[in-house]
Amino acid sequence: GQQLNQSPQSMFIQEGEDVSMNCTSSSIFNTWLWYKQDPGEGPVLLIALYKAGELTSNGRLTAQFGITRKDSFLNISASIPSDVGIYFCAGQGRSGNTPLVFGKGTRLSVIA
Amino acid sequence: GAGVSQSPSNKVTEKGKDVELRCDPISGHTALYWYRQRLGQGLEFLIYFQGNSAPDKSGLPSDRFSAERTGESVSTLTIQRTQQEDSAVYLCASSPGTGPSFYGYTFGSGTRLTVV
């Protein structure tokens, strides 16, 4: 089945630093999404991308849908302690009826 | 309700017992999904319901797993004869339609299942 390769697996950064993480796939996705999961909670949607090449921002978060439709990245600028958590990329294939495929997550730790 | 509600939040069960996990989706959401998240892992798709269509069961790992949904409301995920490898967080999500185009999925907080 479809798989997403997400990297890095984990990151330790200083407060105020910028963060970048990405996802790649061997197959094409029509939609890319980025979620954040806090401990003991379900993932929460951060950004959704619907068009190849699309660049979307949500506050300090910026995400891009790769031109080939096989990759996406998420940047977080000026990190703060509450950015700590696990970030997941997710993709949906050509058919709108297929469930989302998730990456394995990037665990972000922010050192104050 | 305002969000996706799952119960119980935690469940400890003995190996070999059956368990039922419940999900109450957002009112009006026609699509409902179950995912499994093992410790330190990503989300693994289990099953998907869309309205009155036949569910997509392609992610169920074995015939010990089954799920039901009544109309567009509550869903239950049943695991029979639980094994230790079933220990995980089981996440339920709902969405207004078949794709995430407008809202993405809204997830519940999950049920943490521990099989001892």
Side-chain angles (χ1 to χ4, degrees), chain B residues 12-101:
Chain B
V12 180
T13 190
E14 291 182 353
K15 179 181 172 182
K17 301 277 190 185
D18 298 351
V19 294
E20 266 193 9
L21 312 180
R22 176 188 168 107
C23 174
D24 206 336
I26 292 174
S27 178
H29 279 194
T30 58
L32 186 147
Y33 311 82
W34 284 97
Y35 283 81
R36 177 170 70 178
Q37 185 177 25
R38 289 197 165 114
L39 186 64
Q41 298 296 312
L43 280 68
E44 176 189 0
F45 166 70
L46 297 177
I47 188 168
Y48 152 50
F49 297 89
Q50 170 57 46
N52 294 318
S53 302
D56 176 355
K57 304 180 182 180
S58 60
L60 294 178
S62 77
D63 58 7
R64 296 186 296 104
F65 287 72
S66 63
E68 291 185 349
R69 186 183 188 194
T70 307
E72 293 185 354
S73 62
V74 171
S75 174
T76 54
L77 176 69
T78 301
I79 308 173
Q80 296 179 309
R81 305 181 301 283
T82 51
Q83 304 294 313
Q84 287 186 328
E85 69 251 26
D86 299 334
S87 297
V89 175
Y90 289 82
L91 289 161
C92 175
S94 69
S95 72
T98 56
S101 299

Side-chain angles (χ1 to χ4, degrees), chain A residues 15-42:
Chain A
E15 183 177 357
E17 286 184 349
D18 297 345
V19 173
S20 185
M21 58 193 80
N22 70 84
C23 261
T24 60
S25 170
S26 58
S27 52
I28 287 173
F29 285 99
N30 281 353
T31 305
W32 283 91
L33 304 104
W34 286 90
Y35 284 83
K36 182 193 179 200
Q37 185 178 31
D38 291 326
E41 299 294 327

Side-chain angles (χ1 to χ4, degrees), chain B residues 11-12 24 30 35 54 60 85 88 102 104 107 111-112 114-116:
Chain B
K11 176 73 176 179
V12 180
D24 206 336
T30 58
Y35 283 81
L60 294 178
E85 69 251 26
F102 300 105
F107 281 89
T111 293
R112 180 176 298 277
T114 304
V115 181
V116 298

Side-chain angles (χ1 to χ4, degrees), chain A:
Chain A
Q2 294 176 312
Q3 291 187 342
L4 294 182
N5 297 310
Q6 186 171 350
S7 64
Q9 282 188 311
S10 62
M11 304 180 73
F12 289 83
I13 62 168
Q14 294 280 345
E15 183 177 357
E17 286 184 349
D18 297 345
V19 173
S20 185
M21 58 193 80
N22 70 84
C23 261
T24 60
S25 170
S26 58
S27 52
I28 287 173
F29 285 99
N30 281 353
T31 305
W32 283 91
L33 304 104
W34 286 90
Y35 284 83
K36 182 193 179 200
Q37 185 178 31
D38 291 326
E41 299 294 327
V44 173
L45 181 66
L46 298 175
I47 289 183
L49 302 155
Y50 305 112
K51 293 182 186 177
E54 180 181 356
L55 184 71
T56 296
S57 292
N58 178 6
R60 293 179 297 106
L61 276 59
T62 302
Q64 183 156 33
F65 190 144
I67 295 273
T68 63
R69 291 196 278 163
K70 293 183 179 181
D71 63 300
S72 176
F73 72 74
L74 174 70
N75 286 344
I76 306 172
S77 63
S79 59
I80 58 177
S82 62
D83 290 335
V84 166
I86 304 176
Y87 293 79
F88 291 99
C89 61
Q92 188 181 54
R94 293 183 177 275
S95 168
N97 289 326
T98 56
L100 290 179
V101 176
F102 283 81
K104 293 191 175 181
T106 295
R107 183 179 295 273
L108 179 64
S109 300
V110 179
I111 304 166

